[in-house]
Amino acid sequence: MLSVIIQTDGAEGPAVATLAALVPGAAAGVICEVLLVDRAGARAIERVADVAGCRFFPFDESRAAALAAAARQARSPWLMFLHAGAVLESGWIEETTQFIQRVSGSERPRAGIFRYARSPYAETGFHEHLKWLGRMIAGPWADQGLVIARAHYERLGGHAPDARRSEAKLLRQLGRSSLTLLRSRIIVA
């Protein structure tokens, strides 16, 4: 039902935390595959993928090009994009399944994002308050994850390989009117 694509940025610990939160989804049959996207030569992430039974997707080009290529290689009709270190709270499986069923039965394409929650271990300085304010004004950020039908993703052109901030561009293309804010929270470090 769902292919999960995680950009790891060479960080083994955060990738493992995100994968651990996905285990119940794999056990429930919601997740059929996980692709870890990182720069070619990221040996630690390649080992994590091997141990966790994921596919390692190395890239030499831009991250956006790698995300788009991973989406093309994914086997499921639905895609979930996550950043390493993002941890989904319990309840995401049922809600994501219901969202997919509702959208699949509808004629109106939609994408889902998770409700942002800051990690309780994150720094709480002035800079963090500014980031929170930016989220409130600008709308969802890419680190909130994205659940989207592959066909809808392809119609939008996916991640533009040569665009700066291609994830933000994709969210702007979706627009607030076609984004569903899911009740499940995603804890972002």
Side-chain angles (χ1 to χ4, degrees), residues 78-146:
W78 282 85
L79 306 172
M80 178 189 286
F81 292 94
L82 296 173
H83 287 206
V87 176
L88 295 167
E89 282 189 331
S90 63
W92 73 268
I93 299 167
E94 296 82 17
E95 185 176 19
T96 303
T97 302
Q98 289 173 5
F99 171 76
I100 289 171
Q101 289 171 348
R102 236 181 7 255
V103 173
S104 295
S106 168
E107 304 220 356
R108 184 172 175 222
R110 299 192 60 76
I113 56 169
F114 295 97
R115 193 171 301 280
Y116 169 78
R118 190 171 47 96
S119 169
Y121 308 110
E123 296 293 322
T124 57
F126 180 72
H127 180 68
E128 294 305 314
H129 291 294
L130 283 178
K131 281 174 59 177
W132 180 82
L133 183 61
R135 283 180 189 278
M136 297 300 110
I137 293 170
W141 286 16
D143 62 359
Q144 287 178 244
L146 178 66

Side-chain angles (χ1 to χ4, degrees), residues 11-32:
E12 183 177 351
V16 170
T18 301
L19 288 170
L22 296 175
V23 169
V30 174
I31 296 174
C32 78

Side-chain angles (χ1 to χ4, degrees), residues 1-4 25-26 29-34 53 74-78:
M1 178 187 291
L2 193 61
S3 291
V4 180
V30 174
I31 296 174
C32 78
E33 69 177 334
V34 177
R75 296 186 302 243
S76 299
W78 282 85

